[in-house]
Amino acid sequence: MSDRPGAIEPFVPPAWESSGSRSALRITNVKTILTAPDGIRLVVVKVETNEPEIYGVGCASFTQRPLGVAAAIEQYLKPNLIGRDPNNIEDIFQVNNLSGYWRSGPVLNNALSGIDMALWDIKGKLAGMPVYQLLGGKVRKAAPVYSHASGRNFQAVEEEVLRLKEQGFRFVRCQVEVPGNATYGVDDKSTDDYPTYLRARQGIWNFSSYCRVVPRLFDYLRSRVGEELELLHDIHERLPPILAIGLARELEPFHLFFLEDPFAPEDNGYFPMLRQQTATPIAMGELFVNQAEYVPLIHNRLIDFIRCHISAIGGITPARKLASYCEFFGVRTAWHGPGDVSPIGHAVNLQLDLSSPNFGIQECFHFGDAAKAVFPGTPEIRDGYLWSNEQPGLGIDIDETLAEKFPLPEHPLNGAFPEVRQTDGTVIRW
Ligand code: CS2
Ligand code: MG
């Protein structure tokens, strides 16, 4: 009791024991695990409790700044977590988010996410249910996914598309090299040989050449693969906004399932203009980190698919609110799912995909054998769908001993992306 008359007692969220059914569960340790089984830098968190079999795992992967995320977790979140009741997910999220005063940003949000996902994993294990059950249960058998097709020329892309179609994929993202340009989406981003990687990324980026090639690619593909297959494309914020608007219009006859990231988050103000010009469906948002960036796009009905990188917005706690908010405005989900979202992050995407009525599509990544061994329970891709293994929690684990065998590759910039420049030397967005 406080001595001050009229002082308000601090609220302490009820521990599990006071709600009646289980001995006091407490967080006893938080581990930040850095690993790169497929050559891609991943950050993963494990939250342990005083009951050894009750622990959770979460994804905190920000592949360009992994060490920054690790420091945020170890130096700032961990000390504030030991001794807390892991049941109080929302309270822990709020406490961690507010304790920095300055909020948001990919480093801090990824750190929050690692903890948050692990707590949802724990809650699912305590309930004996997959997390999608805690979110309201399944509304579909599995999550339809899109896979990537890319190549040096149209024919190479077509071959990839047909190979994926053969495997049962009905949604394919298509990217083609713009000759002589450092093109996004067509080189191998997972190589750990930095000089090779740098060479592949170097070169000019000519906006007009790209804008000429892409409509021709989709014209070619539609004439070869027909109308039934759903085709997607990612501009990756690589154009001045007015050129992106022109491209979206030119692509309209080819009926894309969606056109992704036409603008950088900084250019959100162009969306109303884009909307007035074309009915090409728009997906946006893997770079968003702050609700002030995405809420106006949703309530003004300026995008069709929300594509946030769930760990970059803070984890399941904010993502489930965002998914529900989008539902009210007819915006569908298409959570970011490349190789720099860890298999744990993919398992999280799947929990929301299965339980959200306004699910649109899930991006998938074909993890290699090493990643699948480090992360037992990596969701299976089969017949063009991502399937749940129906295990309690997130249904995925980390083999810590094996993870240690795949340390982050040596890199002069610790994972930062190399520069892409225009012919005159001006550095541009990646
Ligand atoms: C891409 C990503 O999957 C996508 O849509 O935009 O591969 C993106 O380039 C990477 O996540 C960057 O690390
Ligand atoms: Mg993208």
Side-chain angles (χ1 to χ4, degrees):
M1 277 304 258
S2 163
D3 296 341
R4 272 193 300 132
I8 298 167
E9 280 302 305
F11 168 70
V12 179
W16 189 252
E17 71 218 294
S18 58
S19 51
S21 50
R22 200 182 179 105
S23 63
L25 194 63
R26 292 287 179 267
I27 296 173
T28 50
N29 195 15
V30 173
K31 288 180 180 164
T32 311
I33 302 159
L34 302 170
T35 184
D38 282 353
I40 305 175
R41 293 166 180 75
L42 303 175
V43 184
V44 163
V45 171
K46 184 169 182 182
V47 173
E48 295 174 337
T49 71
N50 50 345
E51 294 195 26
E53 79 283 10
I54 304 292
Y55 61 87
V57 292
C59 179
S61 298
F62 176 8
T63 204
Q64 293 83 352
R65 297 284 189 270
L67 305 182
V69 177
I73 297 166
E74 290 293 322
Q75 313 289 326
Y76 297 101
L77 301 191
K78 180 175 174 175
N80 205 356
L81 285 164
I82 309 297
R84 285 187 192 266
D85 180 351
N87 280 288
N88 302 322
I89 302 176
E90 182 71 40
D91 185 69
I92 289 176
F93 179 87
Q94 300 295 342
V95 165
N96 281 332
N97 193 29
L98 298 177
S99 70
Y101 182 44
W102 275 274
R103 299 175 287 283
S104 161
V107 170
L108 299 179
N109 283 351
N110 267 287
L112 286 176
S113 164
I115 307 299
D116 183 73
M117 291 180 183
L119 297 185
W120 281 95
D121 189 23
I122 288 176
K123 195 167 286 291
K125 287 176 179 165
L126 291 172
M129 294 175 185
V131 168
Y132 72 76
Q133 292 290 8
L134 309 179
L135 301 173
K138 265 188 193 173
V139 292
R140 55 188 56 79
K141 61 177 182 179
V145 291
Y146 73 85
S147 193
H148 297 185
S150 67
R152 290 270 139 92
N153 52 46
F154 295 176
Q155 199 192 336
V157 181
E158 179 196 350
E159 279 165 19
E160 268 296 280
V161 171
L162 293 175
R163 192 181 60 81
L164 290 166
K165 189 179 171 198
E166 193 74 1
Q167 292 172 15
F169 291 94
R170 286 156 297 120
F171 300 81
V172 183
R173 188 189 87 166
C174 306
Q175 310 285 139
V176 71
E177 183 169 302
V178 182
N181 279 255
T183 317
Y184 161 74
V186 291
D187 52 10
D188 178 18
K189 283 188 269 174
S190 65
T191 178
D192 22 348
D193 172 17
Y194 190 66
T196 308
Y197 177 49
L198 201 57
R199 269 196 303 279
R201 297 298 317 171
Q202 267 168 349
I204 56 160
W205 178 244
N206 186 319
F207 304 131
S208 331
S209 311
Y210 169 72
C211 288
R212 275 193 297 276
V213 165
V214 174
R216 283 191 215 141
L217 168 70
F218 283 95
D219 194 10
Y220 174 92
L221 288 175
R222 277 298 178 217
S223 69
R224 300 299 182 107
V225 306
E227 285 292 328
E228 293 313 309
L229 213 57
E230 298 283 6
L231 303 179
L232 302 77
H233 183 73
D234 190 352
I235 293 182
H236 215 256
E237 55 159 21
R238 273 287 193 94
L239 287 176
I242 190 62
L243 296 187
I245 294 175
L247 183 57
R249 278 171 57 129
E250 278 197 66
L251 289 173
E252 207 169 272
F254 311 115
H255 303 120
L256 295 194
F257 184 73
F258 69 51
L259 179 63
E260 181 186 342
D261 286 3
F263 310 131
E266 295 85 349
D267 289 326
N268 268 354
Y270 276 91
F271 276 103
M273 296 170 224
L274 174 63
R275 215 44 167 179
Q276 311 231 316
Q277 296 284 335
T278 175
T280 289
I282 300 299
M284 179 71 189
E286 67 189 43
L287 288 167
F288 287 156
V289 290
N290 187 318
Q291 70 196 56
E293 294 170 314
Y294 44 82
V295 165
L297 297 185
I298 298 161
H299 75 69
N300 290 315
R301 299 172 169 92
L302 294 172
I303 57 171
D304 303 283
F305 296 88
I306 187 79
R307 252 184 80 60
C308 293
H309 180 108
I310 289 185
S311 65
I313 61 168
I316 297 176
T317 294
R320 75 188 177 105
K321 296 172 189 174
L322 175 55
S324 298
Y325 184 69
C326 284
E327 184 191 342
F328 292 159
F329 296 93
V331 174
R332 289 177 276 171
T333 64
W335 306 116
H336 194 219
D340 51 294
V341 166
S342 75
I344 297 172
H346 282 260
V348 163
N349 287 342
L350 181 59
Q351 308 298 325
L352 283 153
D353 297 341
L354 291 175
S355 56
S356 302
N358 55 323
F359 163 80
I361 190 69
Q362 179 57 59
E363 179 182 26
C364 75
F365 185 78
H366 303 271
F367 285 106
D369 291 340
K372 287 184 192 160
V374 169
F375 296 101
T378 297
E380 190 192 352
I381 304 167
R382 185 167 29 91
D383 304 329
Y385 289 89
L386 196 61
W387 297 85
S388 161
N389 59 18
E390 306 300 335
Q391 293 303 303
L394 297 175
I396 189 161
D397 208 342
I398 180 161
D399 180 333
E400 290 176 70
T401 319
L402 199 53
E404 269 178 40
K405 300 213 164 82
F406 301 98
L408 303 194
E410 288 291 319
H411 187 285
L413 303 175
N414 295 320
F417 274 176
E419 296 138 36
V420 186
R421 292 179 183 271
Q422 287 182 267
T423 350
D424 67 2
T426 312
V427 73
I428 60 156
R429 289 188 294 259
W430 200 81

